[in-house]
Amino acid sequence: MHKRTATGIKNSIENGLKTGPLLRLLAGTVLLAGCMTTAPKTPDTARAAPAALDLPPMKIFSPAPTQTTTRSNASIARDFLDLSFALETGATLERFTRFEGPITLRITGERIPASLGYDLSRLMDRFRSEAGIEITRVPANQPASITIETLTQDELSRRAPNTACIVVPNVSSWQEFRHARRANLSWTQVERRERLAVFIPENVPPQEIRDCLHEELAQALGPLNDLYRLPDSVFNDDNIHSVLTPFDMLILRATYAPELRSGMTRDQVAAALPGILARIHPAGAGRATVPVQPPPPAWTQAVLTAMGDAPLPQRRRAAELAVAIARNEGWSDSRAGFSWFLMGRLAVSSDRAQAHLALDEAYRIYAARPETRFHAAHVAMQRAALALSEHRYQAAYELSAGAIDAARDAENAALLASLMLTESEALEKLGRTQDARSVRLDSLGWARYGFGSDDEVRARAAEIAALAR
């Protein structure tokens, strides 16, 4: 994923930025080095064999049938309030804000990747059909409510270190952002949204560009907070979801309900939500609502440290603390699964027994619930990579092949390609050469969308191939 440290995230938010996507967990990378801040290294000899791969055209996801959330309206109302009236730092937002009136959008930048237009068009169609939000695209030289500006990753990092992409209020260009006073960029001072900018790197894989579009535009339009307790949302710093979910679209539809307006207090919004949700989501009426408590601050800090750029031993201790807190709290939800997942991934390089135990437990938690099916696919990738490296080829095949449908449904090409490459290597070792070749060829088109450059695709294929040796 796009790397950001915990300190960088906190500073960016406190300076008025909303950064995203956070620590995307490198779903398409085999992290047997146990390090989440850099791509794993492989010997030159391991890269040599796939270097001659003849890569097929890039594959892209087609529009999927519209889905609906199965959540209760009471839980949606609770989460709407917690998402809309706080920042990730814990700072409270005193007023509800959104765009009032027509919303326009433009794209600027010296280099606009070809994939951006397609993915943006798909997203705007979803905003219109699922969230009831009409956004009009205007030429780059016209003023707009939302400006999407592309720039290089280096340029972005110089002004906003440790961020992947950002949304900023009260500006319409990178130049304006660079010269703006910090107070003018603070979300806590926004009374209603009139103009803002989304800054996205141009020189990253198409999937990362798409992920930035989904998260940043969703936050440009709606909530600014993230909640670890949400298993079915991009508004969650575990970043399992690559694209906006049915829950997210319902949150945005409620945000632009006519019963709401900028400037309303939390109590006023809370009073309006039951009627709004009864109208836009009648299926959620009367459904059971599981009570939740905010995670202890110590758990949140432990997770941030585990995902940050501290030395590996410190990150491992933080992950172990997160697991201990989750067990003490009696959690069996996605927060518990994420704690075990972090511990397992960080233990791979130094304690295989602990890695197996933790990843198995994360998988058990995630696989038990339909709403964490995509989470289970991420864990399955790690378990399959372990099996491949330990020459348990049948297990590697079953684990990777069993998670492919979930990765495809999640529209996560990096994860999908990695699972398919792992399956291919396992099939090759099991003597099913023709099947292995077919799966490998299919995987490479997805890898081009998920990983970007031809060199990176070949490097990722080499990393997985090296595991089986």
Side-chain angles (χ1 to χ4, degrees):
M1 139 75 194
H2 333 357
K3 296 297 179 288
R4 295 181 293 170
T5 66
T7 301
I9 297 160
K10 186 174 187 294
N11 289 341
S12 293
I13 296 170
E14 289 178 345
N15 291 346
L17 314 184
K18 182 66 181 73
T19 60
L22 162 62
L23 290 166
R24 185 72 67 184
L25 287 182
L26 285 175
T29 305
V30 182
L31 293 180
L32 292 186
C35 177
M36 295 169 59
T37 56
T38 57
K41 305 296 185 183
T42 55
D44 291 340
T45 54
R47 295 176 179 268
L53 284 175
D54 185 14
L55 299 181
M58 182 175 72
K59 292 189 175 185
I60 56 176
F61 293 100
S62 301
T66 299
Q67 304 291 323
T68 57
T69 181
T70 59
R71 293 279 217 100
S72 74
N73 283 350
S75 73
I76 294 168
R78 174 195 65 204
D79 294 339
F80 184 98
L81 293 170
D82 287 348
L83 287 168
S84 300
F85 284 92
L87 296 175
E88 292 172 79
T89 57
T92 299
L93 294 173
E94 300 296 331
R95 63 187 74 84
F96 175 77
T97 65
R98 69 178 187 187
F99 285 103
E100 305 290 347
I103 303 173
T104 54
L105 179 147
R106 65 174 184 164
I107 301 176
T108 64
E110 292 186 9
R111 178 181 174 274
I112 300 172
S115 66
L116 189 153
Y118 172 78
D119 284 328
L120 177 62
S121 177
R122 279 193 62 198
L123 180 56
M124 289 175 67
D125 286 345
R126 288 192 61 197
F127 284 144
R128 183 181 308 109
S129 63
E130 297 179 49
I133 301 173
E134 188 73 41
I135 302 175
T136 303
R137 177 94 176 261
V138 299
N141 61 357
Q142 291 188 14
S145 313
I146 301 172
T147 297
I148 298 174
E149 185 168 345
T150 62
L151 62 161
T152 67
Q153 185 70 66
D154 286 346
E155 288 179 281
L156 182 62
S157 296
R158 280 196 293 271
R159 180 63 175 86
N162 306 308
T163 60
C165 40
I166 54 177
V167 57
V168 186
N170 302 323
V171 299
S172 296
S173 71
W174 181 249
Q175 182 177 9
E176 188 178 2
F177 168 57
R178 289 177 58 228
H179 295 95
R181 296 176 56 194
R182 180 175 297 184
N184 293 338
L185 303 175
S186 175
W187 284 104
T188 62
Q189 301 304 310
V190 173
E191 297 186 2
R192 79 173 188 175
R193 305 186 197 189
E194 296 179 331
R195 65 187 183 102
L196 52 81
V198 173
F199 301 114
I200 294 178
E202 64 187 30
N203 52 336
V204 296
Q207 179 166 308
E208 294 190 19
I209 294 171
R210 181 208 61 190
D211 293 355
C212 281
L213 285 174
H214 277 249
E215 183 164 341
E216 300 311 311
L217 284 178
Q219 291 168 332
L221 295 165
L224 297 165
N225 195 12
D226 284 322
L227 299 171
Y228 280 109
R229 70 173 184 254
L230 302 180
D232 53 354
S233 175
V234 301
F235 297 111
N236 185 331
D237 274 341
D238 69 9
N239 287 284
I240 295 294
H241 289 278
S242 297
V243 300
L244 291 168
T245 68
F247 169 83
D248 299 329
M249 287 297 180
L250 188 63
I251 290 291
L252 290 173
R253 181 177 284 274
T255 298
Y256 286 85
E259 296 92 330
L260 302 182
R261 64 185 183 280
S262 294
M264 292 178 74
T265 66
R266 183 185 177 107
D267 287 345
Q268 289 173 324
V269 172
L273 279 175
I276 293 170
L277 293 173
R279 175 171 56 79
I280 67 175
H281 188 237
R287 287 186 173 170
T289 301
V290 178
V292 296
Q293 294 295 328
W299 181 85
T300 303
Q301 185 55 55
V303 166
L304 287 173
T305 300
M307 293 192 298
D309 60 357
L312 182 58
Q314 182 179 340
R315 294 168 62 206
R316 283 194 60 190
R317 288 193 297 272
E320 291 166 0
L321 176 60
V323 167
I325 294 172
R327 298 179 74 174
N328 186 59
E329 293 290 321
W331 294 339
S332 60
D333 59 11
S334 58
R335 294 172 295 182
F338 191 51
S339 301
W340 285 105
F341 187 26
L342 287 172
M343 186 171 109
R345 295 185 61 165
L346 291 169
V348 169
S349 64
S350 56
D351 190 339
R352 282 292 180 95
Q354 186 185 67
H356 278 292
L357 182 151
L359 290 172
D360 289 351
E361 183 64 11
Y363 187 81
R364 184 191 67 79
I365 293 169
Y366 285 147
R369 297 166 177 78
E371 65 269 22
T372 49
R373 174 175 169 243
F374 297 165
H375 304 62
H378 285 254
V379 183
M381 177 62 230
Q382 304 304 312
R383 297 175 79 210
L386 277 171
L388 193 63
S389 71
E390 295 165 356
H391 300 171
R392 295 184 291 114
Y393 301 125
Q394 184 64 32
Y397 164 68
E398 292 174 359
L399 285 164
S400 54
I404 283 174
D405 285 347
R408 183 178 285 108
D409 292 346
E411 298 192 22
N412 191 324
L415 176 60
L416 177 58
S418 295
L419 287 164
M420 296 177 80
L421 286 166
T422 304
E423 180 189 8
S424 174
E425 293 298 330
L427 287 169
E428 190 76 47
K429 293 297 184 180
L430 292 170
R432 297 170 56 180
T433 304
Q434 192 59 42
D435 289 340
R437 288 175 181 170
S438 176
V439 173
R440 183 180 295 110
L441 180 63
D442 196 20
S443 74
L444 296 174
W446 293 116
R448 297 190 78 172
Y449 183 83
F451 299 129
S453 72
D454 291 357
D455 286 346
E456 188 64 21
V457 170
R458 293 187 176 101
R460 299 302 173 104
E463 288 166 0
I464 293 175
L467 295 177
R469 296 176 183 170

